[in-house]
Each structure stands twice: as structure tokens, then as C-alpha cells.
Amino acid sequence: MGGKQDQDEEAYGKPAKYDPSFRGPIRNRSCTDIICCVLFFVFILGYIAVGILAWVYGDPKQVLYPRNSTGAYCGIGENKEKPYLLYFNIFSCVLNTNIIAIAQNGLTCPTPQVCVSSCPAAPWTVEPSQFSQTVEQVFAANRKFCLPGVPGNMQVLQSLQQELCPSFLLPSTPALGRCFPWTNSTVPELPGISNTSISQSISGVFDSLNARDISVKIFEDFAQSWYWILVALGVALVLSLLFILLLRLVAGPLVFVLIIGVLGVLAYGIYHCWEEYRVLRDKGASISQLGFTTNLSAYRNVQETWLAALIILAVLEGILLLMLIFLRQRICIAIALLKEASRAVGYIMSAMFYPLVTFALLLVCIAYWAIIALFLATSGQPQYVFWAPNSSLPGCEKVPMNTSCNPMEQVNSSCPRLMCVFQGYRSTGLAQRSLFNLQIYAVLGLFWTINWVLALGQCVLAGAFASFYWAFHKPRDIPTFPLGSAFLRTLRYHTGSLAFGALILTLVQIARVILEYIDHKLRGAQNPLTRCILCCFKCCLWCLEKFIKFLNRNAYIMIAIYGKNFCVSAKNAFMLLMRNIVRVVVLDKVTDLLLFFGKLLVVGGVGVLSFFFFTGRIPGLGKNFENPQLNYYWLPIMVSILGAYLIASGFFSVFGMCVDTLFLCFLEDLERNDGSADRPYYMSKSLLKILGKKNKGTPGDKKRKK
């Protein structure tokens, strides 16, 4: 037995030795992983440079604002008072092209477009008898819908031939910054276009823009119910906090109830499988009669399926019973650690709200990347080309169509209706030539900064909770501001170590993204062998990512306590856990089960209350707090459930970090100390009682001081 223990110590390192100077998180520490820290700061400077470059060359206005025929934006600059885009003949767009493509880039539509201050409110058309009159006479009330600079004394027929003014107007409504006709508008008779096709076109437009009506209703629902959603989120916050604080009293009974519940569910599954198997066995339904089939539901009607399920559930039931019998002491240790974690949270309540800091930093990282991506996607100089509705007309043969032109210069040509229109953005230039590389750099920056922010939160929380555990007299010996001290200490000394761990995780995540991209691109050309290989690679990378997250999490705890570099901390944490692997598994599963139940309780409770309230089954609180009248009652319910899940996840992530930190401290405590007066245990009395240990004396004054 002794030889086996010596082999384990040799394989997983030697236990931590007693250090009389150790008083919890080390205060006198130095900077760690300086090279990686410098690399991280250089990368951040490059990330800022990419943002500046994208801002200089990018032009997100092309996404946010529509453009007229000359490429000028509606709603800004010279067209600041004209935010809407009007198509002279929108049916030439709808009948020949995809309306979604028009919404994304309206200048590809083969009809002039002009920026207007408001969309037409009534139907109007030019009568043939008005062709000989002037533009000023005919378009007196509708002059604003003509192209800028049209002479008032020009004949109407000439203005229509050159497409300087529209030949008809339809009552329209603005959508996506463009004027689209109403579905019930009176449509005039137009040459070459039937009313039926026009009506179909209008219906097609509004079918494609149906999302606008939905978005308006959604906005109305949010305006009616936002304060009740905040109330639901407040309920989720209170429930999450109460659940964690009450674990100090009910952790033991709750864990055993959950375990018994799992055993009961498995027992019922065994009973159900036996009943199904018995019925099918009496009927003689065997798999030999069914044979092989791709219809998996057919296997429900054969006895072998239920027999296999019965055997699997029985094995799981037996394993859980044996674990409950032989690992009962370790389960009790896990329960005691959960109670201790609840106690730690009660003393360091500010830690429960630290996820707000993490959320704000993550929001900054994501918003910065999104802005960079938008500016990079819209970088380039605008390009204009010659265009005419019919290039085969006399006078147009010699005009080089689709060649560059200047929209600021007047077009002088014998080709009728020749215009200089916007075509797109050039792909040449510094930013455009390096666009792909810049986007890759931005994606890498997104992953690295997000992982660093998450690592910062874990290390800060670990430092705060470690200071709680290593305080011999609680709460007297707990530092005044444990969370703030841990935050400043982590930023000052361990930015490089956090960046090192975040970089390792980022590389694995980038590899997963690349593999998913390759799988998506080659999905149509894959054979079964290729799909199997890609699936194996994705599974391996997923497992590797989970392992690295587990290793990083425990490494950050050791960094917060001892202040060593990332590699040494990761090695020490891994060896410590491997020397106590059974306790690790039991604690991990018990904690996962308990936190899953907590999330289920919070999210389910908020979801049920939201459903009964927003469907009117629970009355309001009076005249000023009546139940909101909603178009989609499920919308605030889903928002409340999602918000409750995020709040519960934030609170329980702090609690989970507290449990993991106290667990590592507990293992170190067992290895460092023996309960004597000079080396007392720092663990709680309940843990000492479970382990059958006790402190044989009280430490001296020097021991109690930090």
C-alpha cells in the first residue's frame, strides 16, 4: 500500500509542504509571463491600429442610408432634409429583380431614384394632354419628386423622355428608408404594365417587407411591457441570490433529494422498459422479423430495443447506488464545501455583482469588433459608371457603357437618358488589398480579448474567495475589500498570465471555427468517410477546448493564491487535482446537479409567472399598473426567460468559482497542515467533523495575523 502511494506521489507530484510564512493569497509577488504581457499589449495596439484604419477607409453610411442615382446619401449632407428614397418606376425593379437585393443596394434598380423629404401621399399621373406643358405647370405640387436642377420651362414630354421627372406617383409609406406603395393604393393605368402585375408587385414588396410590420408590433409590445420585464428580471435576481444564500441551510437535504430524485427517475425508467419489453415479448415482436431499416422509429416496436434500454438503465442505477454507498463521505464533503461557499458569498456579497463588470467589458469587446467589421466591410472609394436604360438606341453605340465617369460633371451625349450612376466601391487600396488579413486580425482580437476578460473575472473571484478561506478567524481576518484588492493585484501582476491562458484557448477556438467553415463549404462534396473524419476532428477539438477551459480555470485559482506564472500554476493545479481525482469528480457532479436545479428553479419560476401575467391570468396592481395589451404575449415571456437564464448563469458562475476555489484551498489545507497548534487547519468545523479531524490547539498571535 505504501509503495502504491509512493508511485502516485511520483506520478502526480509530491504533496504541498508546510510553509510557516504562508497566510493565504501572497501579497509580495512579482509580474508573471512578462513576454506574453508585452505581446498582448502589442497586439492590442495593433487592434487599435486596425480600428483606425477601418475608420479611415470605411464608409458604413452605405449600409445605414439609401443612395440616389448619383450615389449621394439620403438623410445626410446635402440631402439632410430628404431622408427617403423614391423610385420613379419601382415596378421595373420588382418585376425584374429581387426586392431584397434592391433593399440592400437600391442603385442596381434600372430606374432613376431621388431623395425626397416625404413619400407621396396620393396617387397622381401625367395625362397625355399635359405633355406639351412645362414642368413648372404640371409638377407644381410634385416638383420635389423630380431630379434636382430640372428647368421649370422644360416641356413635360422631354422631362419624361430623359427621366428627369416621374410619370406617375403612388401613395407610399417609408420602409427601410425607401418609399414603397401601399397594398390598397389605387394604381393608374401605365403603358406596357397591367394593373394585375402591378398589384402582384406591390404585394411582393410588402410580403418581403412584412418584417417591418412585425418589428413595429414588437416595438409596441416592448414599449407596453418593458417595466414588467424589468420586474421579472428583478424576481430572477432575488431568486438567484436567495437560492445561493439558502444553500447554507438546505444544501444537504437538497442534494440528497436531487440524488434520490435521479434514482427514482431511473427506477421508473427501468419499470417502464420492463413493461414495454414484456408486452412486445408476449406478442413475439423481435428484431429478426423487422430486419435492418433506416426508419429508427420502427425499432420502438421490437423487444430487443426495450431490453437494451432496460439493461443500460439498470447498470446506471446500480452504479449510482454503489457510488452513494461507497462515496457517501465524499458527497458529505462536497455538501460541506457548498455550504462553505454559500457562507463565503454571504461575507463577500460584492462578488455576486462582479458579473456586471465582466458583462460591461465583454460588451465593449464585442461592440468594438462589430464596429471594426462594419467599417472594414464598407471600405473603399465609390465608383461611378455610364448607364442608359437602352444602349441600343441611336446615339448610344459610341458611348462606352459601364466605364468610369464623374457624377459632378454634366453628361453631354447624344445618347438619350445617359446617366452617371453609382456602381459600387473599388476593391483597390491599402485597406482593400489587406481586407481579409485585417478581418482575420479582428476576429483573433475578438476571441483573445473576450477570453482575457473571462479569465480576469475568474482570477479576481478566486483571489477574493481564497482570502476568505485562509482567514483563520472569520470574518475578523477577512480583508476589508477582498474583491477590489484581488482585482488590482491581478491587473498589476498577472495580465500576462491571463493573456497566455486566453491565447491558448483562443487558438483552439479559432481552429474550431476554421474547421466548421471548411465543413460548411465542403458539405455538398463530402463523402461518408470525409464527414466521419471531420466529425472526429470537431469532436477532438471540442474535448480539447473543454479540457483547456478546465485547466485554465484551476490555473487562475493557483495564480490568484500563489502569484506564480501560468505554466507552473497549471501544473500545480493539475497535479493537486489528480492526487484527489475521486473528490474532484464527486464535487464536480454534485455541484453541476445543484446548479442545474437552481437554474431550473429560477428560470422555470420566472417563466411560469411571466406566462400567467402576460396572458392575463394574474391581474395587475391597479389603474397605473394594469396588464399590458400585447400583440405577441410570448415576446416578453421569452425575453423574461432569457434574461432570467443570463442572471442565474451570472450568479451561479460566481458560486461555482467560489466552490472550485474553496475546494483547491481545502486540498492544500489538508496537505499543508495537520491540526497541531503550529499547523492548524483553516477549514470549517463541519469539514473537520466529516473528516474526523480537529485542531488540537489554537495558533499563536503571529499565526492569526496576515
Side-chain angles (χ1 to χ4, degrees):
M1 187 69 180
K4 179 67 169 58
Q5 185 176 359
D6 293 340
Q7 291 177 3
D8 290 342
E9 289 184 358
E10 184 178 352
Y12 302 119
K14 295 182 179 181
K17 296 184 181 297
Y18 171 69
D19 182 3
S21 64
F22 180 71
R23 301 291 184 268
I26 303 298
R27 294 187 177 182
N28 296 325
R29 56 181 71 192
S30 58
C31 295
T32 56
D33 295 300
I34 298 177
I35 295 177
C36 199
C37 180
V38 173
L39 178 63
F40 183 64
F41 278 114
V42 170
F43 181 87
I44 293 298
L45 291 176
Y47 199 22
I48 295 174
V50 171
I52 295 174
L53 193 64
W55 179 76
V56 170
Y57 287 94
D59 186 17
K61 295 192 298 294
Q62 61 173 304
V63 177
L64 304 176
Y65 300 95
R67 295 183 297 264
N68 61 17
S69 297
T70 62
Y73 293 102
C74 299
I76 58 175
E78 60 182 6
N79 296 317
K80 185 177 181 180
E81 305 298 329
K82 301 177 180 180
Y84 307 118
L85 184 71
L86 176 71
Y87 298 90
F88 279 14
N89 184 5
I90 192 173
F91 308 112
S92 62
C93 311
V94 183
L95 296 175
N96 299 300
T97 59
N98 187 337
I99 188 62
I100 300 300
I102 297 170
Q104 293 175 346
N105 189 356
L107 297 170
T108 60
C109 182
T111 186
Q113 298 127 58
V114 62
C115 298
V116 295
S117 57
S118 61
C119 297
W124 176 85
T125 185
V126 177
E127 301 294 338
S129 59
Q130 298 175 318
F131 286 169
S132 59
Q133 300 180 19
T134 63
V135 169
E136 188 171 356
Q137 293 174 336
V138 176
F139 291 92
N142 299 307
R143 183 76 177 273
K144 61 181 180 180
F145 298 117
C146 294
L147 293 177
V150 178
N153 57 358
M154 176 182 286
Q155 284 190 347
V156 171
L157 180 60
Q158 184 181 0
S159 68
L160 297 180
Q161 290 175 343
Q162 297 182 14
E163 292 192 338
L164 300 176
C165 292
S167 60
F168 66 94
L169 296 173
L170 294 176
S172 306
T173 183
L176 302 176
R178 294 160 175 83
C179 296
F180 289 101
W182 299 345
T183 53
N184 58 351
S185 59
T186 304
V187 182
E189 290 290 343
L190 301 174
I193 305 178
S194 65
N195 277 2
T196 302
S197 58
I198 291 177
S199 301
Q200 292 176 351
S201 302
I202 297 175
S203 300
V205 171
F206 275 85
D207 287 342
S208 301
L209 296 174
N210 188 44
R212 176 183 175 273
D213 296 331
I214 296 176
S215 63
V216 170
K217 293 180 180 179
I218 289 175
F219 179 79
E220 293 175 351
D221 287 346
F222 273 119
Q224 290 286 332
S225 61
W226 65 270
Y227 43 88
W228 291 113
I229 294 176
L230 292 180
V231 171
L233 298 183
V235 172
L237 188 147
V238 173
L239 288 177
S240 301
L241 192 58
L242 286 177
F243 181 83
I244 291 175
L245 296 179
L246 288 176
L247 284 179
R248 195 184 312 181
L249 303 175
V250 300
L254 186 57
V255 169
F256 282 109
V257 166
L258 291 175
I259 293 175
I260 293 173
V262 172
L263 292 174
V265 170
L266 289 176
Y268 174 78
I270 293 172
Y271 168 77
H272 180 74
C273 292
W274 166 253
E275 289 294 323
E276 292 288 342
Y277 168 73
R278 185 177 58 81
V279 172
L280 294 173
R281 182 192 60 186
D282 296 339
K283 292 182 180 180
S286 176
I287 195 171
S288 58
Q289 299 175 353
L290 177 65
F292 177 77
T293 177
T294 56
N295 183 13
L296 300 180
S297 61
Y299 289 102
R300 295 177 53 188
N301 300 319
V302 295
Q303 56 179 314
E304 286 81 2
T305 301
W306 295 102
L307 179 61
L310 173 65
I311 295 173
I312 293 173
L313 292 179
V315 170
L316 290 176
E317 183 86 353
I319 292 174
L320 286 179
L321 284 173
L322 291 175
M323 289 178 61
L324 189 61
I325 294 172
F326 293 103
L327 300 178
R328 60 186 183 278
Q329 185 183 22
R330 289 182 171 86
I331 293 175
C332 291
I333 292 174
I335 293 172
L337 282 171
L338 291 172
K339 292 180 179 179
E340 193 71 2
S342 178
R343 185 182 173 205
V345 168
Y347 284 125
I348 311 176
M349 286 294 296
S350 58
M352 298 304 298
F353 300 95
Y354 184 82
L356 295 176
V357 178
T358 301
F359 175 77
L361 293 176
L362 291 177
L363 192 63
V364 170
C365 295
I366 295 174
Y368 182 73
W369 171 81
I371 293 173
I372 287 179
L374 177 62
F375 273 83
L376 286 177
T378 58
S379 61
Q381 296 297 320
Q383 185 175 11
Y384 300 86
V385 295
F386 285 114
W387 176 85
N390 190 349
S391 59
S392 61
L393 293 176
C396 297
E397 304 90 354
K398 298 181 180 180
V399 177
M401 297 296 175
N402 297 323
T403 56
S404 299
C405 61
N406 188 349
M408 303 305 296
E409 297 179 357
Q410 186 175 1
V411 178
N412 295 320
S413 175
S414 58
C415 179
R417 296 186 291 178
L418 180 67
M419 292 186 295
C420 184
V421 299
F422 176 83
Q423 184 187 47
Y425 284 80
R426 292 188 180 95
S427 59
T428 59
L430 176 61
Q432 290 70 49
R433 288 195 302 268
S434 306
L435 184 61
F436 179 77
N437 296 331
L438 293 176
Q439 289 172 336
I440 293 296
Y441 193 98
V443 171
L444 181 61
L446 172 68
F447 280 90
W448 199 358
T449 52
I450 284 179
N451 288 324
W452 185 87
V453 168
L454 295 176
L456 175 65
Q458 292 175 352
C459 196
V460 169
L461 292 173
F465 292 125
S467 65
F468 164 83
Y469 185 92
W470 296 109
F472 191 81
H473 295 287
K474 302 176 180 66
R476 188 181 69 188
D477 292 342
I478 300 176
T480 307
F481 300 104
L483 191 67
S485 300
F487 183 82
L488 296 176
R489 187 167 59 239
T490 303
L491 279 181
R492 180 179 178 182
Y493 296 109
H494 307 302
T495 297
S497 297
L498 302 184
F500 191 8
L503 178 60
I504 296 173
L505 182 58
T506 296
L507 295 178
V508 176
Q509 292 173 337
I510 291 293
R512 288 192 65 193
V513 171
I514 293 174
L515 198 60
E516 290 289 347
Y517 176 78
I518 294 174
D519 185 29
H520 176 73
K521 286 296 183 181
L522 302 179
R523 185 163 296 174
Q526 289 176 4
N527 53 42
L529 179 60
T530 307
R531 286 198 298 269
C532 180
I533 294 175
L534 284 175
C535 183
C536 292
F537 273 117
K538 289 193 289 186
C539 181
C540 292
L541 285 177
W542 180 84
C543 294
L544 180 60
E545 181 181 353
K546 291 297 181 182
F547 174 75
I548 290 177
K549 284 183 177 180
F550 171 78
L551 189 63
N552 284 4
R553 184 183 181 91
N554 291 283
Y556 299 145
I557 295 174
M558 301 301 280
I559 290 172
I561 298 174
Y562 298 106
K564 297 182 179 179
N565 62 50
F566 177 82
C567 292
V568 173
S569 299
K571 176 187 174 182
N572 292 340
F574 182 74
M575 293 301 180
L576 179 62
L577 294 174
M578 290 303 296
R579 292 196 295 269
N580 302 270
I581 187 62
V582 178
R583 286 172 175 166
V584 172
V585 173
V586 172
L587 179 71
D588 185 58
K589 297 310 172 187
V590 170
T591 305
D592 288 345
L593 181 64
L594 195 62
L595 295 186
F596 172 76
F597 177 77
K599 287 183 182 180
L600 190 65
L601 179 67
V602 173
V603 176
V606 171
V608 170
L609 290 176
S610 300
F611 174 79
F612 280 100
F613 178 78
F614 289 115
T615 55
R617 291 173 172 83
I618 297 179
L621 303 178
K623 182 177 180 181
N624 297 326
F625 298 96
E626 296 179 351
N627 296 70
Q629 302 298 319
L630 305 172
N631 298 294
Y632 309 107
Y633 69 85
W634 52 264
L635 181 67
I637 295 175
M638 295 304 297
V639 173
S640 300
I641 290 175
L642 179 61
Y645 176 79
L646 294 176
I647 290 174
S649 298
F651 274 86
F652 293 157
S653 66
V654 174
F655 184 75
M657 196 67 201
C658 181
V659 173
D660 290 345
T661 303
L662 297 185
F663 180 59
L664 285 183
C665 294
F666 164 74
L667 297 179
E668 287 270 335
D669 194 9
L670 283 177
E671 294 184 351
R672 285 180 175 274
N673 304 307
D674 57 6
S676 62
D678 292 330
R679 297 167 59 184
Y681 292 114
Y682 283 77
M683 66 186 72
S684 63
K685 293 181 179 180
S686 59
L687 281 171
L688 287 172
K689 184 177 180 181
I690 293 171
L691 294 173
K693 299 179 183 293
K694 63 179 181 178
N695 286 326
K696 299 176 183 179
T698 57
D701 294 336
K702 183 179 180 180
K703 179 72 179 179
R704 286 196 293 264
K705 293 180 181 179
K706 289 250 180 210

